Amino acid sequence: MHSRSGSSTLRARAAALGLGLAVAATSATVVVQAPAAQALSPVDVTLVGINDFHGRLLAARDAGGAAKLATAVDSIRAEYGEENTIFAAAGDLIGASTFESFIQQDKPTIDVLNAAGLDVSAVGNHEFDQGYDDLVDRVMSPFDAETNPRGGAEWTYIGANVKMKDSGEDALEPTYVQTIGEGDSAVDVGFIGAVTEHLPELVSPAGIADLEVTDVVEAVNTEADALEADGVDLIVMLVHEGAPTTDCAAIGNLADDTDFGSIVQGVDSSVHAIISGHTHLAYDCRIAPADAPLQPRPVVSAGQYGLNINRLTFTVDADGQADPFLKVGDGSEIINVARTEDPFAEDPEVKAIVDAAVAVSDELGAQPLGQIAGPFTRAKAGNGTTENRGGESTVGNLVAEAQRWAADTQIGFINPGGLRADMLGESAEGYPAVLTYKQAAVVQPFANTLVKMDLTGEQLKSVLEEQWQPEGSSRPILHLGVSDGFEWSYDPTAAASEHVTGMWLDEEPIEMEETYSVVANSFLASGGDNFFTLAEGSDPTDTGYADLQAMVDFMDEFASSQALPVDAEQRSIGAALPEGAPTSYAPGDELEVELSSLIMAPTAGIDGLVDDEVEVSVGGESLGTFAVDPTVAEGANDDEAGTASVMATVPTYHGAPEGLVVTGMTTGTEIMVPLAFEAQPEMAVVKAKRNPKGPLKAGKKKLKVTVKVKVDGEPASGKVVLSGAGVDKKVTLNKKGKAVTRVGPFDEKGVQVITVSYGDASDTLRFKVR
């Protein structure tokens, strides 16, 4: 493997070692002398660039694997000269990592990049996930088996625009200089680091409370002037900020008030190349800065996860008489590390580190997170094994709820492609079963972070409409997992962008102009899987909270003392009216509607997780119960499993109901289908809700009943009577016409009915006791 000679004098590392050295507010550089054979002027200098590695140790569909990455870098050293090659990065090497690295605080990633001979890197936002002190005192501090067993990065982290808030002094080395060649033909190559100015929004404020992030362009230009004055021959910017597209023309035309446009245009032409990251895109462009419009320079990024590397080769006139330039016809390229044609071998030293990390992760991954009461599964087609990303699933809704809870938002979304396995747990005796770290990790292996944003009701509708994918997509529907409390109805027969018929949050209608707080993983939040509206949310904030960590914390909170129950309540149901259906209904009218999406495959057949009938009501008056057909199509790629045909006479109701209410008799699913009903004279109207919505365990759990009563549209007073299922109880309404009480537990098994009465008006609660 490649190894570096010489020494480095890192002030930041001195601070990390507790030497008490002040970090001066200067443009001092770190100089590393790399011995090389005598070279003739001009000198070729080759740079290898990576970014956003995020601890992806193993090869995957979007990752090259650390062992192949090391070989790919060494192949460049072999071709262009080890003494003439520098390995550099643009940040986010650690943090938001997969389980094999995450479980050891990214120590395996530090070790493989040390072995691969990384020389220098800008800091990214994820380097600060555990705070500035952790970065300096652990990651950047030398390895010590006793005092620092999970640190020891041997490369130099630089960040010119990261300052100490109180003093304005450099919080990290701003620059790094490495010398290529010797004597008169020696060439000094200088690197300037910078991190996105959005750092304070992307990590925990407490972790960087002592830091100030300054203007990238100003900080880099200041350091470039100092390096140029010191006679540095080739100046390269390493920046953890990136382009929003891979289209070089579009990058070149970015407005100068955009994050990346300000960098590519505003950084002085004395900076000869820009190696970037953060947006996880791969590009290899030539873009001229504003101060030298006829001198385009390389602006590159390698994408993400070690899938690619950038290679840049310059010819530098060591006597300083000419600016450096890319070699004609051989200047730069993006090299695919995971290529199948002429594949890279796995470096044995790095592979040994990765194998050891996997072994440790297997051991640590066996640690229990808590218990689950049943299987949380992805949706499946009719054969019970083929994944159906168009269907609603118990694991999707669980993950969305865990992320909503972790991010403290109103609504959580998860893409079905982000769920790579069912969450089954381990038990020799069935359920409840123990869920381990590793089992949770394989469900969400991408180590995405949670991104918070604000969406209007209109934007929420757009997100739901985007589940029906653009024409020609490999999957026509991608059903989002949705957090508890958010429900919606749709018409499966409607035209594109017209499917969603209603949305509710905690039983209140979503208002189109109102703003709601939403969380999604970083893939979805950037518009992944064609969910473009999520990328348009206002005030987006990357929490730095890994999705796996959110599930770990959720299990600790809710499943450490009792098994986490499987929530089989639907978040959405389909409803289609026949052709020629009336625009509104009144008592006595005949109503027909085809319901769908009433089960979550493959939960059919699992006791308590599937409805075999649903009740349909309007204004608290029942139209009857209707059988559910649980058939799942063999090649299903949608959410239509679980259908029921409703044909009934509209009963007498009072007021103006907003639609039909569909209630699952077993799961407790309760979602409204918006239909227009003609207003009838107001009388007493009773509405009763229950919690939990799902089945109750015989003799164990009580039922919480919430009752609201209105008379002529105003809150009622007096008492309501609860009767049936062994209950005979009177409860007084408060000034808002509301009463809350608890009844049970219930010993008799099967479907139970409680009637809540106020004079001649009533509502019924149906629930199952197991």
Side-chain angles (χ1 to χ4, degrees):
M1 287 302 302
H2 173 74
S3 61
R4 294 184 306 279
S5 300
S7 63
S8 61
T9 56
L10 286 177
R11 290 169 294 165
R13 291 191 181 177
L17 288 170
L19 300 181
L21 301 180
V23 180
T26 70
S27 58
T29 59
V30 179
V31 178
V32 177
Q33 289 284 356
Q38 184 68 30
L40 299 175
S41 182
V43 176
D44 282 351
V45 175
T46 293
L47 309 179
V48 178
I50 62 169
N51 56 276
D52 297 278
F53 183 64
H54 289 293
R56 292 310 200 269
L57 301 179
L58 298 173
R61 60 179 175 84
D62 57 355
K68 288 189 176 182
L69 174 65
T71 300
V73 175
D74 269 352
S75 73
I76 301 300
R77 294 188 179 111
E79 182 173 354
Y80 294 90
E82 180 171 347
E83 68 279 2
N84 289 68
T85 301
I86 302 174
F87 184 14
D92 274 9
L93 305 177
I94 59 174
S97 305
T98 48
F99 187 76
E100 293 77 17
S101 185
F102 154 78
I103 196 63
Q104 295 190 73
Q105 289 185 280
D106 284 318
K107 174 58 174 171
T109 295
I110 293 171
D111 290 343
V112 299
L113 292 176
N114 283 343
L118 182 65
D119 294 293
V120 58
S121 178
V123 283
N125 52 285
H126 283 287
E127 266 76 20
F128 295 93
D129 279 351
Q130 298 184 54
Y132 171 70
D133 290 343
D134 177 75
L135 172 63
V136 172
D137 296 339
R138 178 180 67 87
V139 177
M140 293 171 56
S141 188
F143 169 80
D144 185 285
E146 297 295 329
T147 62
N148 191 29
R150 291 188 170 173
E154 295 172 4
W155 63 91
T156 301
Y157 268 124
I158 56 177
N161 67 326
V162 184
K163 309 293 183 181
M164 302 306 298
K165 185 178 293 184
D166 292 341
S167 66
E169 295 180 345
D170 296 321
L172 300 164
E173 290 291 350
T175 60
Y176 169 94
V177 175
Q178 187 162 328
T179 301
I180 300 295
E182 295 178 336
D184 293 339
S185 62
V187 168
D188 287 334
V189 183
F191 295 86
I192 308 170
V195 68
T196 174
E197 293 172 21
H198 295 282
L199 177 65
E201 307 160 25
L202 303 179
V203 298
S204 170
I208 58 169
D210 296 331
L211 302 184
E212 179 182 11
V213 181
T214 64
D215 184 271
V216 169
V217 173
E218 182 179 341
V220 170
N221 285 343
T222 297
E223 297 301 334
D225 289 344
L227 289 178
E228 196 172 34
D230 287 342
V232 173
D233 302 286
L234 178 66
I235 300 176
V236 179
M237 179 184 187
L238 303 176
V239 59
H240 194 70
E241 186 62 82
T245 176
T246 59
D247 185 331
C248 291
I251 296 173
N253 289 320
L254 289 171
D256 59 8
D257 61 352
T258 61
D259 291 331
F260 202 56
S262 65
I263 291 171
V264 297
Q265 296 181 38
V267 169
D268 290 346
S269 57
S270 57
V271 174
H272 303 107
I274 297 175
I275 298 176
S276 60
H278 191 48
T279 54
H280 291 224
L281 300 177
Y283 45 86
D284 182 5
C285 305
R286 305 291 175 273
I287 300 173
D291 69 338
L294 299 180
Q295 298 178 27
R297 63 186 166 195
V299 177
V300 305
S301 173
Q304 62 181 3
Y305 307 153
L307 184 65
N308 307 301
I309 57 176
N310 291 115
R311 194 270 304 165
L312 300 168
T313 299
F314 295 88
T315 299
V316 183
D317 189 340
D319 63 11
Q321 298 303 305
D323 287 335
F325 57 89
L326 283 174
K327 294 188 69 173
V328 176
D330 192 28
S332 67
E333 61 182 325
I334 296 175
I335 299 172
N336 181 235
V337 172
R339 67 193 189 193
T340 56
E341 184 176 344
D342 188 24
F344 289 107
E346 292 186 308
D347 179 272
E349 180 183 351
V350 172
K351 186 178 186 302
I353 296 171
V354 172
D355 289 346
V358 170
V360 170
S361 73
D362 286 342
E363 179 181 352
L364 297 178
Q367 296 181 12
L369 300 182
Q371 287 193 323
I372 55 177
F376 290 86
T377 61
R378 297 166 294 167
K380 303 292 198 306
N383 60 15
T385 57
T386 303
E387 181 187 10
N388 169 20
R389 295 190 185 180
E392 186 173 358
S393 72
T394 52
V395 71
N397 290 346
L398 170 66
V399 170
E401 172 61 13
Q403 295 181 177
R404 184 211 61 77
W405 170 83
D408 192 22
T409 60
Q410 293 172 287
I411 300 169
F413 291 125
I414 177 67
N415 57 305
L419 307 169
R420 311 305 286 187
D422 298 332
M423 188 179 287
L424 303 178
E426 287 183 356
S427 174
E429 301 176 356
Y431 292 96
V434 172
L435 182 72
T436 66
Y437 260 108
K438 192 63 175 283
Q439 290 165 341
V442 297
V443 174
Q444 300 178 85
F446 299 116
N448 289 303
T449 52
L450 305 187
V451 178
K452 298 168 64 172
M453 70 198 75
D454 290 332
L455 296 179
T456 64
E458 185 175 356
Q459 287 176 311
L460 284 172
K461 183 178 184 298
S462 293
V463 170
L464 296 179
E465 293 286 359
E466 287 166 348
Q467 294 174 115
W468 285 266
Q469 293 282 288
E471 186 175 353
S473 299
S474 59
R475 292 181 173 89
I477 301 174
L478 293 177
H479 198 294
L480 293 169
V482 175
S483 58
D484 188 25
F486 183 68
E487 299 169 342
W488 55 284
S489 61
Y490 69 95
D491 181 353
T493 67
S497 302
E498 298 178 6
H499 289 97
V500 178
T501 56
M503 300 179 294
W504 296 267
L505 179 62
D506 297 330
E507 302 181 1
E508 295 295 327
I510 293 288
E511 301 293 338
M512 290 296 100
E513 302 303 320
E514 190 171 334
T515 298
Y516 301 86
S517 60
V518 176
V519 66
N521 64 45
S522 48
F523 170 77
L524 260 187
S526 64
D529 276 345
N530 299 312
F531 288 94
F532 304 115
T533 301
L534 287 169
E536 299 170 1
S538 58
D539 298 326
T541 302
D542 191 321
T543 64
Y545 204 155
D547 49 12
L548 175 58
Q549 189 62 49
M551 180 57 68
V552 169
D553 294 343
F554 185 83
M555 291 293 295
D556 182 61
E557 178 74 14
F558 298 106
S560 58
S561 59
Q562 61 183 7
L564 186 70
V566 178
D567 182 0
E569 292 181 39
Q570 301 285 131
R571 305 291 191 259
S572 62
I573 60 171
L577 296 173
E579 188 175 349
T583 57
S584 65
Y585 296 86
D589 289 346
E590 295 301 313
L591 183 148
E592 295 183 30
V593 61
E594 293 294 325
L595 300 177
S596 59
S597 184
L598 297 176
I599 68 168
M600 285 189 277
T603 53
I606 301 176
D607 184 38
L609 297 184
V610 64
D611 290 311
D612 53 17
E613 61 180 3
V614 292
E615 182 184 39
V616 180
S617 60
V618 56
E621 303 296 332
S622 178
L623 280 74
T625 57
F626 303 88
V628 175
D629 179 357
T631 302
V632 182
E634 182 66 23
N637 194 21
D638 56 31
D639 196 38
E640 299 312 291
T643 58
S645 296
V646 176
M647 299 181 65
T649 301
V650 177
T652 299
Y653 58 83
H654 302 287
E658 297 175 350
L660 295 176
V661 176
V662 179
T663 303
M665 303 306 294
T666 300
T667 64
T669 296
E670 188 172 286
I671 299 178
M672 181 178 288
V673 175
L675 290 179
F677 288 90
E678 297 176 9
Q680 301 297 307
E682 286 275 10
M683 295 178 62
V685 177
V686 179
K687 291 186 177 181
K689 302 286 185 182
R690 63 184 174 91
N691 187 37
K693 292 182 179 180
L696 298 177
K697 202 168 185 180
K700 295 292 185 180
K701 197 166 187 179
K702 291 188 175 184
L703 192 69
K704 179 181 178 182
V705 179
T706 302
V707 184
K708 293 182 180 179
V709 183
K710 289 186 177 181
V711 177
D712 295 332
E714 297 297 324
S717 60
K719 295 184 178 182
V720 293
V721 178
L722 285 73
S723 59
V727 176
D728 186 7
K729 187 174 188 179
K730 293 182 180 180
V731 185
T732 302
L733 298 168
N734 63 19
K735 292 181 180 180
K736 296 183 179 180
K738 180 179 178 180
V740 180
T741 188
R742 294 181 183 273
V743 294
F746 303 91
D747 295 323
E748 188 173 347
K749 298 179 182 179
V751 176
Q752 305 296 318
V753 180
I754 295 177
T755 301
V756 183
S757 304
Y758 182 86
D760 293 334
S762 65
D763 194 7
T764 56
L765 295 174
R766 296 175 184 268
F767 55 97
K768 188 173 184 179
V769 177
R770 296 191 284 175

